[in-house]
Amino acid sequence: MKTAPTSARAEEPRWLTDEEQRVWRSYIEAATLLEDHLDRQLQRDAGMPHVYYGLLVKLAESPRRRLRMTELAMSAKITRSRLSHAVARLEKNGWVRREDCPSDKRGQFAVLTDEGVRVLNRHAPGHVDAVRQAVFDRLSPEQQESLGEIMRIIAEGLQPSEAGADLPWLR
C-alpha cells in the first residue's frame, strides 16, 4: 500500500504542551466555577440568572436605558433566540419592556423599566461583593492588570470583523 507523499499528508496537530494543558484546564475550571458561583448568588438573592442580570446592567448603562434587541444580543454575546426568551422573562417580571422601532418596522427596543432600575439598585451591592470576593480579593493589583490584558487579547482575537462571521447574535 502506497502512502501519500509527506507534503500531501495532513499536518500533525499542534498538541498542547503539558504546561499549556495545565493552564487551559485551570482556565476552564475557574471560568466554570466562577459563572456557577455568580449565577447561584444572583438566583438566591435576586431570583434571576447571571445572564439576565447582565442584560439589565447593559440596558442601565445605555442612553435612555434602551437598546435595539440586535445591539443587546451583540453586547451580551448571546443568540437572538436566547435574548428573546430572556427579555420575555424580564418583561413578565416588569423589569424590561419592548418598544417597536419607529424607523424599522421589524426592529424592537428593549427598555429598562423603573422597576428594573430598582431591582438592579437593590441587588448590585451583593453581586459586586460576590465578584470582588471571587476574583479581585484573590489577586494582587499586578495580577488584576495582567488578567485584564490577557482577557482583552483573547476577546479581540475571537471577535471576527469580517461580514458573514458565525457570531451568536447573528444566529
Side-chain angles (χ1 to χ4, degrees):
M1 179 169 166
K2 280 189 168 179
T3 59
T6 305
S7 60
R9 282 190 220 150
E11 228 178 273
E12 180 72 16
R14 289 182 51 222
W15 298 111
L16 298 179
T17 66
D18 289 345
E19 180 60 15
E20 289 168 335
Q21 190 71 261
R22 185 192 65 73
V23 169
W24 174 244
R25 288 181 179 167
S26 293
Y27 165 77
I28 293 296
E29 183 177 1
T32 301
L33 288 169
L34 179 60
E35 184 60 30
D36 178 68
H37 173 73
L38 297 176
D39 200 59
R40 281 184 293 115
Q41 178 269 320
L42 283 164
Q43 287 284 8
R44 180 187 65 239
D45 297 348
M48 75 176 96
H50 190 219
V51 70
Y52 290 14
Y53 181 86
L55 295 172
L56 296 178
V57 168
K58 288 180 187 314
L59 290 171
E61 294 173 344
S62 299
R64 297 175 49 213
R65 301 187 324 214
R66 65 192 297 122
L67 276 175
R68 283 184 66 116
M69 292 286 283
T70 52
E71 292 174 41
L72 185 55
M74 181 171 66
S75 177
K77 309 292 188 252
I78 61 176
T79 64
R80 290 180 288 191
S81 64
R82 184 173 184 199
L83 176 66
S84 183
H85 177 74
V87 169
R89 293 284 309 274
L90 294 169
E91 279 181 303
K92 185 177 177 186
N93 291 339
W95 302 340
V96 170
R97 72 174 180 276
R98 292 184 214 217
E99 292 179 358
D100 291 332
C101 178
S103 63
D104 176 3
K105 297 296 180 200
R106 295 184 322 177
Q108 284 191 317
F109 287 98
V111 182
L112 183 65
T113 64
D114 291 341
E115 180 59 24
V117 171
R118 284 190 286 277
V119 165
L120 271 179
N121 289 338
R122 187 167 47 250
H123 296 292
H127 181 64
V128 169
D129 189 50
V131 169
R132 182 167 297 290
Q133 288 177 10
V135 179
F136 295 101
D137 290 351
R138 298 171 187 272
L139 302 175
S140 70
E142 296 80 19
Q143 289 171 321
Q144 292 175 27
E145 186 177 336
S146 293
L147 179 63
E149 183 179 342
I150 289 165
M151 293 295 105
R152 275 189 299 281
I153 290 168
I154 291 171
E156 287 170 5
L158 293 172
Q159 180 80 29
S161 57
E162 68 273 358
D166 182 25
L167 299 169
W169 51 93
L170 299 177
R171 292 185 219 132

